[in-house]
Each structure stands twice: as structure tokens, then as C-alpha cells.
Amino acid sequence: MSRDDRDGTGLVRRLRDTYEVLAREAAKFGIVGAVAFVTDFGIFNLLRFAGPDGVGVLHHKPLTANVISVVVSIVVAWLGNRYWTFRHRRRASAPRELFLFFVMNGVGLLISLVCLGFTYYVLDLRGPVASNISAKVVGVALGTLFRWWAYRRFVFVEELREEGWQAHPASTDEAAEDLSGGTQVDDVRRSQARPGPA
């Protein structure tokens, strides 16, 4: 057992590193999510309300409009998360990763559809405000919480598990370093290659 481990310094450092990695991921996840939300919100409202007298091409088909807008936003979110938020985690093949991403977002979509369907068909609230609050505020908020957990747990973890690391890699100082100069896995490999003290 190292001196750091005995006096608790190592544990504190690992906790701090884990927090820093999570904070970076959460910030990037939030930005990507905001872009995807604007995409989703914009397409949904264009399909439902962009037309003469506020009647869009899918005005009377809110669930269809929601599916289309969500699918487009899923692609936007996958690109942002794969190549920015979780770039240090992704190592699965793009088709496999995209498939898992769609599966997790399918659950998020179901959450949104349940909220919208309840408002539209049960409460009989069919205006723009009610539709957007149910689908794009409540539904998106609940779906986002699920997706954050699911992405970290199932989608963007492949290489780290192959290397013997878990979904929350922060056991070295390199784990909390800025990732712009290389992947986290590369940093870990370099640290493992360094000779230890005699």
C-alpha cells in the first residue's frame, strides 16, 4: 500500500479526478443536448404549426411529428456525443454504437410520447403551449436523465472495459487532464508504460 493510500491522499485525489471528468462530460453533454433540443423543438413546431393559419403538414398528427423531430435530433446528439462529449470513451464500431444510441434514445422517445399522448388524448389539451410543455419540457427532462445514465453505462464505454477500466475512469492523474491532446486511454497507456520507482 502506498503512502498516499495510507494517509487518504490517494482517495481524495481519485475522487477529485472523478469529479473533474464527470463535470467536463456533463458540461459537454449539456451543450450537445441543447443543440439537439433546438433541432427537436424546431422540427416539431415546423411540422405542426408552420403553415396557413398555424396548421402545418402534420398538425393533426402530433405523435408522428414528434417521432420525426426526435429521430433527427438523435442523429445530431449522437454525432456531438461521439466526437466531442465522450470521444475519450468511444471505441465501439460506429454502426454498433449508433444502434445502441438509438435504442437508448428510443426509451427516451417513449417517455416523451407518453407525456405528449397523455396531454393530447387524455387531458384534451391540444394547443402549442400544452404540446410543447408535455413533449419538449417534461418529456425531454425525464428522457435526458435516462439518457445521461444510459450513455455512460452502455454506449460510450467499450474500449475502457477492454483495457480493464470501468465506465468511470479516474484512477490516475491523467484521467482528469484536458483530453484535447489525446484520448484518455492513450494517457492511461502512457502512465502504465512509465517505469515505477525502484
Side-chain angles (χ1 to χ4, degrees):
M1 179 181 290
S2 70
R3 180 178 176 183
D4 283 351
D5 288 336
R6 283 196 301 272
D7 64 15
T9 307
L11 176 62
V12 171
R13 184 173 61 245
R14 285 193 295 272
L15 290 173
R16 186 188 66 237
D17 293 348
T18 298
Y19 169 77
E20 290 175 359
V21 170
L22 288 174
R24 283 194 188 96
E25 286 183 351
K28 292 177 179 181
F29 179 81
I31 293 169
V32 170
V35 173
F37 176 81
V38 170
T39 302
D40 181 12
F41 184 87
I43 294 174
F44 177 76
N45 283 282
L46 284 173
L47 292 173
R48 289 212 59 214
F49 306 112
D53 300 320
V55 178
V57 293
L58 294 176
H59 183 76
H60 299 294
K61 295 184 177 181
L63 300 185
T64 303
N66 198 45
V67 169
I68 292 171
S69 68
V70 168
V71 167
V72 174
S73 73
I74 287 172
V75 174
V76 170
W78 175 71
L79 291 171
N81 283 306
R82 177 176 172 85
Y83 293 105
W84 190 42
T85 306
F86 299 109
R87 70 181 179 190
H88 56 289
R89 292 176 176 273
R90 67 166 178 85
R91 286 298 183 275
S93 67
R96 178 181 179 275
E97 193 176 83
L98 183 58
F99 171 76
L100 288 173
F101 199 81
F102 263 91
V103 169
M104 301 310 167
N105 276 277
V107 177
L109 174 59
L110 286 177
I111 293 171
S112 176
L113 289 176
V114 167
C115 294
L116 177 59
F118 180 78
T119 301
Y120 192 86
Y121 294 110
V122 177
L123 300 180
D124 200 31
L125 299 172
R126 303 185 174 200
V129 174
S131 293
N132 281 288
I133 288 175
S134 62
K136 305 306 174 190
V137 176
V138 177
V140 166
L142 295 176
T144 297
L145 291 174
F146 169 79
R147 285 190 291 267
W148 166 249
W149 170 80
Y151 294 168
R152 300 190 84 251
R153 179 70 178 85
F154 299 108
V155 181
F156 297 107
V157 296
E158 193 67 22
E159 175 69 9
L160 293 174
R161 284 185 178 175
E162 289 174 4
E163 293 292 323
W165 294 84
Q166 298 304 313
H168 306 287
S171 58
T172 66
D173 287 335
E174 289 87 352
E177 289 179 0
D178 182 70
L179 302 173
S180 60
T183 67
Q184 192 167 11
V185 172
D186 290 338
D187 290 340
V188 172
R189 285 178 179 155
R190 282 195 295 271
S191 72
Q192 292 172 340
R194 294 176 190 149

mmCIF file of all heavy atoms in Angstrom, residues 8 10-11 13 48-49 59 74 97 113-114 127 145 147 157 178-179:
data_model
loop_
_atom_site.group_PDB
_atom_site.id
_atom_site.type_symbol
_atom_site.label_atom_id
_atom_site.label_comp_id
_atom_site.label_asym_id
_atom_site.label_seq_id
_atom_site.Cartn_x
_atom_site.Cartn_y
_atom_site.Cartn_z
ATOM 1 N N GLY A 8 -4.784 8.633 2.963
ATOM 2 C CA GLY A 8 -6.042 9.066 2.359
ATOM 3 C C GLY A 8 -5.885 10.053 1.225
ATOM 4 O O GLY A 8 -6.861 10.410 0.574
ATOM 5 N N GLY A 10 -4.492 9.627 -1.702
ATOM 6 C CA GLY A 10 -4.818 8.989 -2.978
ATOM 7 C C GLY A 10 -6.311 8.928 -3.213
ATOM 8 O O GLY A 10 -6.784 9.184 -4.322
ATOM 9 N N LEU A 11 -7.069 8.615 -2.171
ATOM 10 C CA LEU A 11 -8.527 8.564 -2.300
ATOM 11 C C LEU A 11 -9.094 9.929 -2.637
ATOM 12 O O LEU A 11 -9.949 10.067 -3.515
ATOM 13 C CB LEU A 11 -9.150 8.030 -1.011
ATOM 14 C CG LEU A 11 -10.682 8.025 -0.968
ATOM 15 C CD1 LEU A 11 -11.232 7.124 -2.065
ATOM 16 C CD2 LEU A 11 -11.174 7.582 0.399
ATOM 17 N N ARG A 13 -7.548 12.392 -4.114
ATOM 18 C CA ARG A 13 -7.165 12.729 -5.482
ATOM 19 C C ARG A 13 -8.038 12.005 -6.494
ATOM 20 O O ARG A 13 -8.487 12.588 -7.476
ATOM 21 C CB ARG A 13 -5.691 12.405 -5.730
ATOM 22 C CG ARG A 13 -5.219 12.842 -7.121
ATOM 23 C CD ARG A 13 -3.728 12.669 -7.313
ATOM 24 N NE ARG A 13 -3.335 11.274 -7.175
ATOM 25 C CZ ARG A 13 -2.554 10.810 -6.213
ATOM 26 N NH1 ARG A 13 -2.103 11.620 -5.274
ATOM 27 N NH2 ARG A 13 -2.228 9.527 -6.164
ATOM 28 N N ARG A 48 -45.883 20.852 -37.155
ATOM 29 C CA ARG A 48 -47.227 21.001 -36.594
ATOM 30 C C ARG A 48 -47.864 22.350 -36.856
ATOM 31 O O ARG A 48 -49.068 22.437 -37.082
ATOM 32 C CB ARG A 48 -47.198 20.747 -35.088
ATOM 33 C CG ARG A 48 -46.962 19.289 -34.759
ATOM 34 C CD ARG A 48 -47.651 18.857 -33.501
ATOM 35 N NE ARG A 48 -49.089 19.036 -33.567
ATOM 36 C CZ ARG A 48 -49.856 19.373 -32.528
ATOM 37 N NH1 ARG A 48 -49.325 19.594 -31.351
ATOM 38 N NH2 ARG A 48 -51.153 19.502 -32.676
ATOM 39 N N PHE A 49 -47.064 23.424 -36.827
ATOM 40 C CA PHE A 49 -47.677 24.752 -36.819
ATOM 41 C C PHE A 49 -47.200 25.699 -37.917
ATOM 42 O O PHE A 49 -47.693 26.827 -38.005
ATOM 43 C CB PHE A 49 -47.451 25.415 -35.450
ATOM 44 C CG PHE A 49 -47.921 24.571 -34.299
ATOM 45 C CD1 PHE A 49 -47.006 24.025 -33.415
ATOM 46 C CD2 PHE A 49 -49.266 24.294 -34.113
ATOM 47 C CE1 PHE A 49 -47.424 23.233 -32.352
ATOM 48 C CE2 PHE A 49 -49.696 23.499 -33.064
ATOM 49 C CZ PHE A 49 -48.777 22.971 -32.178
ATOM 50 N N HIS A 59 -50.141 18.756 -38.553
ATOM 51 C CA HIS A 59 -50.822 19.437 -37.456
ATOM 52 C C HIS A 59 -51.672 18.483 -36.627
ATOM 53 O O HIS A 59 -51.692 18.572 -35.394
ATOM 54 C CB HIS A 59 -51.709 20.563 -38.005
ATOM 55 C CG HIS A 59 -52.382 21.362 -36.931
ATOM 56 N ND1 HIS A 59 -51.707 22.298 -36.178
ATOM 57 C CD2 HIS A 59 -53.650 21.333 -36.464
ATOM 58 C CE1 HIS A 59 -52.537 22.829 -35.290
ATOM 59 N NE2 HIS A 59 -53.726 22.265 -35.447
ATOM 60 N N ILE A 74 -31.795 12.855 -32.526
ATOM 61 C CA ILE A 74 -30.956 11.744 -32.057
ATOM 62 C C ILE A 74 -29.664 11.672 -32.865
ATOM 63 O O ILE A 74 -28.576 11.482 -32.311
ATOM 64 C CB ILE A 74 -31.718 10.405 -32.138
ATOM 65 C CG1 ILE A 74 -32.773 10.330 -31.038
ATOM 66 C CG2 ILE A 74 -30.761 9.216 -32.036
ATOM 67 C CD1 ILE A 74 -33.698 9.125 -31.157
ATOM 68 N N GLU A 97 -22.360 1.379 -32.132
ATOM 69 C CA GLU A 97 -22.576 2.465 -31.198
ATOM 70 C C GLU A 97 -23.844 3.241 -31.538
ATOM 71 O O GLU A 97 -24.626 3.589 -30.648
ATOM 72 C CB GLU A 97 -21.365 3.390 -31.226
ATOM 73 C CG GLU A 97 -21.307 4.384 -30.089
ATOM 74 C CD GLU A 97 -20.024 5.178 -30.158
ATOM 75 O OE1 GLU A 97 -19.977 6.160 -30.914
ATOM 76 O OE2 GLU A 97 -19.063 4.803 -29.462
ATOM 77 N N LEU A 113 -43.284 10.511 -25.667
ATOM 78 C CA LEU A 113 -44.578 10.194 -26.272
ATOM 79 C C LEU A 113 -45.660 9.956 -25.224
ATOM 80 O O LEU A 113 -46.815 10.344 -25.407
ATOM 81 C CB LEU A 113 -44.453 8.970 -27.181
ATOM 82 C CG LEU A 113 -43.681 9.167 -28.484
ATOM 83 C CD1 LEU A 113 -43.548 7.851 -29.230
ATOM 84 C CD2 LEU A 113 -44.343 10.216 -29.367
ATOM 85 N N VAL A 114 -45.288 9.308 -24.138
ATOM 86 C CA VAL A 114 -46.254 9.085 -23.061
ATOM 87 C C VAL A 114 -46.726 10.428 -22.501
ATOM 88 O O VAL A 114 -47.936 10.641 -22.295
ATOM 89 C CB VAL A 114 -45.644 8.206 -21.940
ATOM 90 C CG1 VAL A 114 -46.513 8.235 -20.691
ATOM 91 C CG2 VAL A 114 -45.487 6.770 -22.436
ATOM 92 N N GLY A 127 -53.264 22.598 -27.814
ATOM 93 C CA GLY A 127 -52.627 23.809 -28.332
ATOM 94 C C GLY A 127 -51.118 23.736 -28.315
ATOM 95 O O GLY A 127 -50.519 22.795 -27.762
ATOM 96 N N LEU A 145 -32.522 12.662 -18.287
ATOM 97 C CA LEU A 145 -31.971 11.975 -17.117
ATOM 98 C C LEU A 145 -31.675 10.514 -17.433
ATOM 99 O O LEU A 145 -30.615 9.977 -17.085
ATOM 100 C CB LEU A 145 -32.950 12.059 -15.946
ATOM 101 C CG LEU A 145 -33.144 13.445 -15.340
ATOM 102 C CD1 LEU A 145 -34.237 13.411 -14.283
ATOM 103 C CD2 LEU A 145 -31.838 13.965 -14.757
ATOM 104 N N ARG A 147 -31.118 9.215 -20.484
ATOM 105 C CA ARG A 147 -30.059 9.111 -21.493
ATOM 106 C C ARG A 147 -28.673 9.354 -20.910
ATOM 107 O O ARG A 147 -27.719 8.676 -21.286
ATOM 108 C CB ARG A 147 -30.351 10.080 -22.652
ATOM 109 C CG ARG A 147 -31.455 9.603 -23.561
ATOM 110 C CD ARG A 147 -31.551 10.462 -24.811
ATOM 111 N NE ARG A 147 -32.020 11.798 -24.503
ATOM 112 C CZ ARG A 147 -33.295 12.167 -24.542
ATOM 113 N NH1 ARG A 147 -34.229 11.288 -24.861
ATOM 114 N NH2 ARG A 147 -33.639 13.406 -24.282
ATOM 115 N N VAL A 157 -18.441 3.168 -23.624
ATOM 116 C CA VAL A 157 -17.546 2.578 -22.628
ATOM 117 C C VAL A 157 -16.711 1.427 -23.166
ATOM 118 O O VAL A 157 -15.937 0.848 -22.423
ATOM 119 C CB VAL A 157 -18.357 2.060 -21.411
ATOM 120 C CG1 VAL A 157 -19.045 3.196 -20.706
ATOM 121 C CG2 VAL A 157 -19.356 1.007 -21.824
ATOM 122 N N ASP A 178 -6.865 17.660 -19.449
ATOM 123 C CA ASP A 178 -7.608 18.059 -20.631
ATOM 124 C C ASP A 178 -7.407 17.022 -21.714
ATOM 125 O O ASP A 178 -6.292 16.610 -21.989
ATOM 126 C CB ASP A 178 -7.112 19.423 -21.124
ATOM 127 C CG ASP A 178 -7.893 19.893 -22.321
ATOM 128 O OD1 ASP A 178 -9.071 20.229 -22.163
ATOM 129 O OD2 ASP A 178 -7.303 19.898 -23.414
ATOM 130 N N LEU A 179 -8.502 16.618 -22.348
ATOM 131 C CA LEU A 179 -8.449 15.493 -23.281
ATOM 132 C C LEU A 179 -8.188 15.935 -24.712
ATOM 133 O O LEU A 179 -8.231 15.136 -25.627
ATOM 134 C CB LEU A 179 -9.761 14.720 -23.203
ATOM 135 C CG LEU A 179 -10.074 14.191 -21.802
ATOM 136 C CD1 LEU A 179 -11.461 13.602 -21.777
ATOM 137 C CD2 LEU A 179 -9.049 13.173 -21.380
#
